[in-house]
Amino acid sequence: QVQFVESGGGSVQPGGSLTLSCGVSGRSLYISAMGWYRQSPENQRELVAGMLLSGANIKYGESVKGRFTISRGNAKNTVNLQMNNLRPEGSAVYYCKAEAGGETTYWGQGTQVNVSS
């Protein structure tokens, strides 16, 4: 059984900041990579940011480069996403993704981010 704990979503004005956190736990679970994706009613689910938990291979979606930063958390199997200079088009449900050994993908339940004035 894989459990996700996602936090940090909410409402913010354009130009504001939020930090999302995601932790994954499970018996005999080996997580190799984690990341964040987002989906709005108008768009398909898209990559926001991802990384190997070794710290390597950090990737960002084109629309968030230079504004968002993904990092490992202090606890095992956790990642944080610092989101700065948020834009209205960033309003979406943000989903945490975890990959186990490159073979199995798990998704969190999602956390809502609203950017509006």
PDB file of all heavy atoms in Angstrom, residues 37-68:
ATOM      1  N   TYR A  37       3.198  17.165 -11.457  1.00  0.00           N
ATOM      2  CA  TYR A  37       2.483  17.433 -12.695  1.00  0.00           C
ATOM      3  C   TYR A  37       1.260  18.276 -12.343  1.00  0.00           C
ATOM      4  O   TYR A  37       0.861  18.342 -11.175  1.00  0.00           O
ATOM      5  CB  TYR A  37       2.028  16.137 -13.371  1.00  0.00           C
ATOM      6  CG  TYR A  37       3.140  15.372 -14.045  1.00  0.00           C
ATOM      7  CD1 TYR A  37       4.152  14.767 -13.308  1.00  0.00           C
ATOM      8  CD2 TYR A  37       3.189  15.254 -15.439  1.00  0.00           C
ATOM      9  CE1 TYR A  37       5.175  14.074 -13.934  1.00  0.00           C
ATOM     10  CE2 TYR A  37       4.202  14.556 -16.075  1.00  0.00           C
ATOM     11  CZ  TYR A  37       5.191  13.970 -15.311  1.00  0.00           C
ATOM     12  OH  TYR A  37       6.202  13.290 -15.940  1.00  0.00           O
ATOM     13  N   ARG A  38       0.674  18.916 -13.343  1.00  0.00           N
ATOM     14  CA  ARG A  38      -0.537  19.676 -13.089  1.00  0.00           C
ATOM     15  C   ARG A  38      -1.536  19.470 -14.218  1.00  0.00           C
ATOM     16  O   ARG A  38      -1.155  19.182 -15.354  1.00  0.00           O
ATOM     17  CB  ARG A  38      -0.238  21.166 -12.908  1.00  0.00           C
ATOM     18  CG  ARG A  38       0.279  21.860 -14.147  1.00  0.00           C
ATOM     19  CD  ARG A  38       0.690  23.291 -13.815  1.00  0.00           C
ATOM     20  NE  ARG A  38       1.189  24.010 -14.992  1.00  0.00           N
ATOM     21  CZ  ARG A  38       1.785  25.196 -14.958  1.00  0.00           C
ATOM     22  NH1 ARG A  38       1.970  25.819 -13.786  1.00  0.00           N
ATOM     23  NH2 ARG A  38       2.191  25.770 -16.076  1.00  0.00           N
ATOM     24  N   GLN A  39      -2.799  19.645 -13.873  1.00  0.00           N
ATOM     25  CA  GLN A  39      -3.859  19.494 -14.858  1.00  0.00           C
ATOM     26  C   GLN A  39      -4.987  20.453 -14.533  1.00  0.00           C
ATOM     27  O   GLN A  39      -5.454  20.520 -13.404  1.00  0.00           O
ATOM     28  CB  GLN A  39      -4.380  18.052 -14.873  1.00  0.00           C
ATOM     29  CG  GLN A  39      -5.390  17.782 -15.971  1.00  0.00           C
ATOM     30  CD  GLN A  39      -5.696  16.306 -16.118  1.00  0.00           C
ATOM     31  OE1 GLN A  39      -5.425  15.510 -15.227  1.00  0.00           O
ATOM     32  NE2 GLN A  39      -6.262  15.927 -17.257  1.00  0.00           N
ATOM     33  N   SER A  40      -5.405  21.193 -15.547  1.00  0.00           N
ATOM     34  CA  SER A  40      -6.557  22.068 -15.440  1.00  0.00           C
ATOM     35  C   SER A  40      -7.664  21.514 -16.328  1.00  0.00           C
ATOM     36  O   SER A  40      -7.407  20.657 -17.170  1.00  0.00           O
ATOM     37  CB  SER A  40      -6.184  23.490 -15.866  1.00  0.00           C
ATOM     38  OG  SER A  40      -5.807  23.515 -17.234  1.00  0.00           O
ATOM     39  N   PRO A  41      -8.895  21.991 -16.168  1.00  0.00           N
ATOM     40  CA  PRO A  41      -9.991  21.474 -16.989  1.00  0.00           C
ATOM     41  C   PRO A  41      -9.759  21.648 -18.490  1.00  0.00           C
ATOM     42  O   PRO A  41     -10.262  20.869 -19.292  1.00  0.00           O
ATOM     43  CB  PRO A  41     -11.193  22.291 -16.528  1.00  0.00           C
ATOM     44  CG  PRO A  41     -10.869  22.665 -15.120  1.00  0.00           C
ATOM     45  CD  PRO A  41      -9.378  22.900 -15.126  1.00  0.00           C
ATOM     46  N   GLU A  42      -8.963  22.651 -18.849  1.00  0.00           N
ATOM     47  CA  GLU A  42      -8.769  22.932 -20.275  1.00  0.00           C
ATOM     48  C   GLU A  42      -7.582  22.193 -20.880  1.00  0.00           C
ATOM     49  O   GLU A  42      -7.462  22.125 -22.106  1.00  0.00           O
ATOM     50  CB  GLU A  42      -8.547  24.442 -20.495  1.00  0.00           C
ATOM     51  CG  GLU A  42      -9.654  25.331 -19.974  1.00  0.00           C
ATOM     52  CD  GLU A  42      -9.530  25.606 -18.491  1.00  0.00           C
ATOM     53  OE1 GLU A  42      -8.441  25.395 -17.919  1.00  0.00           O
ATOM     54  OE2 GLU A  42     -10.539  26.036 -17.889  1.00  0.00           O
ATOM     55  N   ASN A  43      -6.710  21.652 -20.019  1.00  0.00           N
ATOM     56  CA  ASN A  43      -5.452  21.111 -20.530  1.00  0.00           C
ATOM     57  C   ASN A  43      -5.206  19.681 -20.071  1.00  0.00           C
ATOM     58  O   ASN A  43      -5.755  19.224 -19.075  1.00  0.00           O
ATOM     59  CB  ASN A  43      -4.279  21.985 -20.070  1.00  0.00           C
ATOM     60  CG  ASN A  43      -4.392  23.397 -20.587  1.00  0.00           C
ATOM     61  OD1 ASN A  43      -4.582  23.628 -21.777  1.00  0.00           O
ATOM     62  ND2 ASN A  43      -4.281  24.359 -19.676  1.00  0.00           N
ATOM     63  N   GLN A  44      -4.333  19.018 -20.820  1.00  0.00           N
ATOM     64  CA  GLN A  44      -3.893  17.697 -20.410  1.00  0.00           C
ATOM     65  C   GLN A  44      -2.913  17.820 -19.252  1.00  0.00           C
ATOM     66  O   GLN A  44      -2.352  18.880 -19.005  1.00  0.00           O
ATOM     67  CB  GLN A  44      -3.212  16.989 -21.590  1.00  0.00           C
ATOM     68  CG  GLN A  44      -4.147  16.655 -22.737  1.00  0.00           C
ATOM     69  CD  GLN A  44      -3.434  15.902 -23.844  1.00  0.00           C
ATOM     70  OE1 GLN A  44      -2.223  15.993 -23.993  1.00  0.00           O
ATOM     71  NE2 GLN A  44      -4.190  15.140 -24.618  1.00  0.00           N
ATOM     72  N   ARG A  45      -2.702  16.722 -18.552  1.00  0.00           N
ATOM     73  CA  ARG A  45      -1.733  16.720 -17.456  1.00  0.00           C
ATOM     74  C   ARG A  45      -0.349  16.966 -18.034  1.00  0.00           C
ATOM     75  O   ARG A  45       0.052  16.346 -19.031  1.00  0.00           O
ATOM     76  CB  ARG A  45      -1.774  15.388 -16.715  1.00  0.00           C
ATOM     77  CG  ARG A  45      -1.005  15.393 -15.413  1.00  0.00           C
ATOM     78  CD  ARG A  45      -1.275  14.139 -14.605  1.00  0.00           C
ATOM     79  NE  ARG A  45      -2.655  14.056 -14.156  1.00  0.00           N
ATOM     80  CZ  ARG A  45      -3.092  13.168 -13.268  1.00  0.00           C
ATOM     81  NH1 ARG A  45      -2.248  12.304 -12.726  1.00  0.00           N
ATOM     82  NH2 ARG A  45      -4.365  13.148 -12.925  1.00  0.00           N
ATOM     83  N   GLU A  46       0.378  17.879 -17.428  1.00  0.00           N
ATOM     84  CA  GLU A  46       1.699  18.240 -17.943  1.00  0.00           C
ATOM     85  C   GLU A  46       2.735  18.253 -16.832  1.00  0.00           C
ATOM     86  O   GLU A  46       2.420  18.483 -15.664  1.00  0.00           O
ATOM     87  CB  GLU A  46       1.649  19.634 -18.587  1.00  0.00           C
ATOM     88  CG  GLU A  46       1.306  20.759 -17.634  1.00  0.00           C
ATOM     89  CD  GLU A  46       1.396  22.137 -18.271  1.00  0.00           C
ATOM     90  OE1 GLU A  46       1.752  22.251 -19.454  1.00  0.00           O
ATOM     91  OE2 GLU A  46       1.107  23.129 -17.552  1.00  0.00           O
ATOM     92  N   LEU A  47       3.970  18.037 -17.245  1.00  0.00           N
ATOM     93  CA  LEU A  47       5.089  18.067 -16.312  1.00  0.00           C
ATOM     94  C   LEU A  47       5.300  19.483 -15.791  1.00  0.00           C
ATOM     95  O   LEU A  47       5.361  20.437 -16.554  1.00  0.00           O
ATOM     96  CB  LEU A  47       6.364  17.585 -16.995  1.00  0.00           C
ATOM     97  CG  LEU A  47       7.660  17.785 -16.201  1.00  0.00           C
ATOM     98  CD1 LEU A  47       7.709  16.833 -15.011  1.00  0.00           C
ATOM     99  CD2 LEU A  47       8.887  17.597 -17.095  1.00  0.00           C
ATOM    100  N   VAL A  48       5.447  19.588 -14.469  1.00  0.00           N
ATOM    101  CA  VAL A  48       5.872  20.844 -13.861  1.00  0.00           C
ATOM    102  C   VAL A  48       7.365  20.756 -13.529  1.00  0.00           C
ATOM    103  O   VAL A  48       8.167  21.575 -13.958  1.00  0.00           O
ATOM    104  CB  VAL A  48       5.065  21.155 -12.591  1.00  0.00           C
ATOM    105  CG1 VAL A  48       5.570  22.431 -11.938  1.00  0.00           C
ATOM    106  CG2 VAL A  48       3.576  21.265 -12.918  1.00  0.00           C
ATOM    107  N   ALA A  49       7.720  19.721 -12.760  1.00  0.00           N
ATOM    108  CA  ALA A  49       9.124  19.518 -12.400  1.00  0.00           C
ATOM    109  C   ALA A  49       9.315  18.091 -11.926  1.00  0.00           C
ATOM    110  O   ALA A  49       8.391  17.505 -11.354  1.00  0.00           O
ATOM    111  CB  ALA A  49       9.558  20.493 -11.316  1.00  0.00           C
ATOM    112  N   GLY A  50      10.507  17.550 -12.150  1.00  0.00           N
ATOM    113  CA  GLY A  50      10.797  16.207 -11.697  1.00  0.00           C
ATOM    114  C   GLY A  50      12.270  16.030 -11.453  1.00  0.00           C
ATOM    115  O   GLY A  50      13.097  16.810 -11.950  1.00  0.00           O
ATOM    116  N   MET A  51      12.609  15.007 -10.675  1.00  0.00           N
ATOM    117  CA  MET A  51      14.005  14.748 -10.364  1.00  0.00           C
ATOM    118  C   MET A  51      14.188  13.322  -9.881  1.00  0.00           C
ATOM    119  O   MET A  51      13.252  12.691  -9.391  1.00  0.00           O
ATOM    120  CB  MET A  51      14.488  15.710  -9.268  1.00  0.00           C
ATOM    121  CG  MET A  51      13.812  15.511  -7.930  1.00  0.00           C
ATOM    122  SD  MET A  51      14.332  16.732  -6.675  1.00  0.00           S
ATOM    123  CE  MET A  51      16.065  16.328  -6.510  1.00  0.00           C
ATOM    124  N   LEU A  52      15.429  12.837 -10.045  1.00  0.00           N
ATOM    125  CA  LEU A  52      15.810  11.610  -9.382  1.00  0.00           C
ATOM    126  C   LEU A  52      16.071  11.931  -7.917  1.00  0.00           C
ATOM    127  O   LEU A  52      16.569  13.028  -7.604  1.00  0.00           O
ATOM    128  CB  LEU A  52      17.078  11.029 -10.017  1.00  0.00           C
ATOM    129  CG  LEU A  52      16.957  10.589 -11.482  1.00  0.00           C
ATOM    130  CD1 LEU A  52      18.308  10.075 -11.980  1.00  0.00           C
ATOM    131  CD2 LEU A  52      15.893   9.542 -11.660  1.00  0.00           C
ATOM    132  N   LEU A  53      15.787  11.006  -7.027  1.00  0.00           N
ATOM    133  CA  LEU A  53      15.991  11.296  -5.618  1.00  0.00           C
ATOM    134  C   LEU A  53      17.472  11.306  -5.247  1.00  0.00           C
ATOM    135  O   LEU A  53      17.819  11.675  -4.125  1.00  0.00           O
ATOM    136  CB  LEU A  53      15.221  10.298  -4.751  1.00  0.00           C
ATOM    137  CG  LEU A  53      13.704  10.488  -4.776  1.00  0.00           C
ATOM    138  CD1 LEU A  53      13.030   9.560  -3.770  1.00  0.00           C
ATOM    139  CD2 LEU A  53      13.306  11.928  -4.510  1.00  0.00           C
ATOM    140  N   SER A  54      18.318  10.942  -6.176  1.00  0.00           N
ATOM    141  CA  SER A  54      19.757  11.127  -5.990  1.00  0.00           C
ATOM    142  C   SER A  54      20.124  12.598  -6.111  1.00  0.00           C
ATOM    143  O   SER A  54      21.236  13.001  -5.757  1.00  0.00           O
ATOM    144  CB  SER A  54      20.523  10.323  -7.034  1.00  0.00           C
ATOM    145  OG  SER A  54      20.248  10.824  -8.338  1.00  0.00           O
ATOM    146  N   GLY A  55      19.199  13.396  -6.644  1.00  0.00           N
ATOM    147  CA  GLY A  55      19.458  14.813  -6.870  1.00  0.00           C
ATOM    148  C   GLY A  55      19.788  15.142  -8.306  1.00  0.00           C
ATOM    149  O   GLY A  55      19.889  16.310  -8.683  1.00  0.00           O
ATOM    150  N   ALA A  56      19.925  14.120  -9.123  1.00  0.00           N
ATOM    151  CA  ALA A  56      20.308  14.325 -10.514  1.00  0.00           C
ATOM    152  C   ALA A  56      19.078  14.429 -11.416  1.00  0.00           C
ATOM    153  O   ALA A  56      17.956  14.169 -11.007  1.00  0.00           O
ATOM    154  CB  ALA A  56      21.185  13.163 -10.973  1.00  0.00           C
ATOM    155  N   ASN A  57      19.350  14.791 -12.659  1.00  0.00           N
ATOM    156  CA  ASN A  57      18.343  14.773 -13.718  1.00  0.00           C
ATOM    157  C   ASN A  57      17.110  15.605 -13.366  1.00  0.00           C
ATOM    158  O   ASN A  57      15.974  15.131 -13.491  1.00  0.00           O
ATOM    159  CB  ASN A  57      17.933  13.338 -14.042  1.00  0.00           C
ATOM    160  CG  ASN A  57      17.329  13.230 -15.423  1.00  0.00           C
ATOM    161  OD1 ASN A  57      17.602  14.052 -16.288  1.00  0.00           O
ATOM    162  ND2 ASN A  57      16.501  12.226 -15.648  1.00  0.00           N
ATOM    163  N   ILE A  58      17.314  16.824 -12.966  1.00  0.00           N
ATOM    164  CA  ILE A  58      16.204  17.720 -12.653  1.00  0.00           C
ATOM    165  C   ILE A  58      15.642  18.279 -13.959  1.00  0.00           C
ATOM    166  O   ILE A  58      16.391  18.759 -14.814  1.00  0.00           O
ATOM    167  CB  ILE A  58      16.650  18.851 -11.726  1.00  0.00           C
ATOM    168  CG1 ILE A  58      17.047  18.276 -10.367  1.00  0.00           C
ATOM    169  CG2 ILE A  58      15.540  19.879 -11.566  1.00  0.00           C
ATOM    170  CD1 ILE A  58      17.587  19.308  -9.389  1.00  0.00           C
ATOM    171  N   LYS A  59      14.325  18.224 -14.097  1.00  0.00           N
ATOM    172  CA  LYS A  59      13.661  18.723 -15.306  1.00  0.00           C
ATOM    173  C   LYS A  59      12.512  19.652 -14.916  1.00  0.00           C
ATOM    174  O   LYS A  59      11.873  19.453 -13.884  1.00  0.00           O
ATOM    175  CB  LYS A  59      13.112  17.555 -16.128  1.00  0.00           C
ATOM    176  CG  LYS A  59      14.169  16.596 -16.644  1.00  0.00           C
ATOM    177  CD  LYS A  59      13.543  15.469 -17.453  1.00  0.00           C
ATOM    178  CE  LYS A  59      14.600  14.518 -17.981  1.00  0.00           C
ATOM    179  NZ  LYS A  59      14.015  13.404 -18.747  1.00  0.00           N
ATOM    180  N   TYR A  60      12.270  20.632 -15.777  1.00  0.00           N
ATOM    181  CA  TYR A  60      11.164  21.564 -15.568  1.00  0.00           C
ATOM    182  C   TYR A  60      10.354  21.700 -16.854  1.00  0.00           C
ATOM    183  O   TYR A  60      10.897  21.633 -17.964  1.00  0.00           O
ATOM    184  CB  TYR A  60      11.684  22.951 -15.179  1.00  0.00           C
ATOM    185  CG  TYR A  60      12.349  23.003 -13.831  1.00  0.00           C
ATOM    186  CD1 TYR A  60      13.733  22.943 -13.721  1.00  0.00           C
ATOM    187  CD2 TYR A  60      11.589  23.112 -12.665  1.00  0.00           C
ATOM    188  CE1 TYR A  60      14.348  22.976 -12.484  1.00  0.00           C
ATOM    189  CE2 TYR A  60      12.196  23.153 -11.418  1.00  0.00           C
ATOM    190  CZ  TYR A  60      13.578  23.082 -11.344  1.00  0.00           C
ATOM    191  OH  TYR A  60      14.176  23.121 -10.107  1.00  0.00           O
ATOM    192  N   GLY A  61       9.068  21.924 -16.699  1.00  0.00           N
ATOM    193  CA  GLY A  61       8.251  22.288 -17.842  1.00  0.00           C
ATOM    194  C   GLY A  61       8.657  23.668 -18.341  1.00  0.00           C
ATOM    195  O   GLY A  61       9.097  24.508 -17.552  1.00  0.00           O
ATOM    196  N   GLU A  62       8.532  23.887 -19.630  1.00  0.00           N
ATOM    197  CA  GLU A  62       8.998  25.139 -20.230  1.00  0.00           C
ATOM    198  C   GLU A  62       8.353  26.355 -19.585  1.00  0.00           C
ATOM    199  O   GLU A  62       9.012  27.389 -19.394  1.00  0.00           O
ATOM    200  CB  GLU A  62       8.705  25.140 -21.725  1.00  0.00           C
ATOM    201  CG  GLU A  62       9.645  24.290 -22.562  1.00  0.00           C
ATOM    202  CD  GLU A  62      11.082  24.770 -22.490  1.00  0.00           C
ATOM    203  OE1 GLU A  62      11.294  25.997 -22.459  1.00  0.00           O
ATOM    204  OE2 GLU A  62      11.988  23.919 -22.428  1.00  0.00           O
ATOM    205  N   SER A  63       7.098  26.266 -19.224  1.00  0.00           N
ATOM    206  CA  SER A  63       6.376  27.443 -18.733  1.00  0.00           C
ATOM    207  C   SER A  63       6.755  27.826 -17.311  1.00  0.00           C
ATOM    208  O   SER A  63       6.385  28.912 -16.851  1.00  0.00           O
ATOM    209  CB  SER A  63       4.872  27.197 -18.806  1.00  0.00           C
ATOM    210  OG  SER A  63       4.504  26.135 -17.953  1.00  0.00           O
ATOM    211  N   VAL A  64       7.498  26.966 -16.597  1.00  0.00           N
ATOM    212  CA  VAL A  64       7.833  27.276 -15.200  1.00  0.00           C
ATOM    213  C   VAL A  64       9.322  27.490 -14.985  1.00  0.00           C
ATOM    214  O   VAL A  64       9.740  27.845 -13.868  1.00  0.00           O
ATOM    215  CB  VAL A  64       7.328  26.176 -14.248  1.00  0.00           C
ATOM    216  CG1 VAL A  64       5.852  25.916 -14.469  1.00  0.00           C
ATOM    217  CG2 VAL A  64       8.138  24.891 -14.384  1.00  0.00           C
ATOM    218  N   LYS A  65      10.113  27.292 -16.013  1.00  0.00           N
ATOM    219  CA  LYS A  65      11.562  27.453 -15.869  1.00  0.00           C
ATOM    220  C   LYS A  65      11.907  28.857 -15.386  1.00  0.00           C
ATOM    221  O   LYS A  65      11.367  29.845 -15.875  1.00  0.00           O
ATOM    222  CB  LYS A  65      12.259  27.180 -17.204  1.00  0.00           C
ATOM    223  CG  LYS A  65      12.334  25.712 -17.565  1.00  0.00           C
ATOM    224  CD  LYS A  65      13.083  25.499 -18.883  1.00  0.00           C
ATOM    225  CE  LYS A  65      13.174  24.021 -19.215  1.00  0.00           C
ATOM    226  NZ  LYS A  65      13.862  23.784 -20.511  1.00  0.00           N
ATOM    227  N   GLY A  66      12.796  28.911 -14.395  1.00  0.00           N
ATOM    228  CA  GLY A  66      13.214  30.193 -13.846  1.00  0.00           C
ATOM    229  C   GLY A  66      12.326  30.702 -12.726  1.00  0.00           C
ATOM    230  O   GLY A  66      12.677  31.673 -12.045  1.00  0.00           O
ATOM    231  N   ARG A  67      11.165  30.070 -12.532  1.00  0.00           N
ATOM    232  CA  ARG A  67      10.243  30.529 -11.474  1.00  0.00           C
ATOM    233  C   ARG A  67      10.009  29.453 -10.412  1.00  0.00           C
ATOM    234  O   ARG A  67       9.742  29.764  -9.251  1.00  0.00           O
ATOM    235  CB  ARG A  67       8.895  30.922 -12.096  1.00  0.00           C
ATOM    236  CG  ARG A  67       8.997  32.074 -13.100  1.00  0.00           C
ATOM    237  CD  ARG A  67       7.615  32.514 -13.599  1.00  0.00           C
ATOM    238  NE  ARG A  67       6.940  31.458 -14.344  1.00  0.00           N
ATOM    239  CZ  ARG A  67       5.788  30.915 -13.983  1.00  0.00           C
ATOM    240  NH1 ARG A  67       5.173  31.322 -12.871  1.00  0.00           N
ATOM    241  NH2 ARG A  67       5.238  29.950 -14.726  1.00  0.00           N
ATOM    242  N   PHE A  68      10.073  28.189 -10.801  1.00  0.00           N
ATOM    243  CA  PHE A  68       9.811  27.081  -9.874  1.00  0.00           C
ATOM    244  C   PHE A  68      11.118  26.349  -9.590  1.00  0.00           C
ATOM    245  O   PHE A  68      11.995  26.246 -10.461  1.00  0.00           O
ATOM    246  CB  PHE A  68       8.829  26.093 -10.475  1.00  0.00           C
ATOM    247  CG  PHE A  68       7.410  26.584 -10.605  1.00  0.00           C
ATOM    248  CD1 PHE A  68       7.079  27.931 -10.465  1.00  0.00           C
ATOM    249  CD2 PHE A  68       6.389  25.685 -10.870  1.00  0.00           C
ATOM    250  CE1 PHE A  68       5.781  28.377 -10.599  1.00  0.00           C
ATOM    251  CE2 PHE A  68       5.077  26.110 -10.991  1.00  0.00           C
ATOM    252  CZ  PHE A  68       4.777  27.455 -10.870  1.00  0.00           C
TER     253      PHE A  68
END
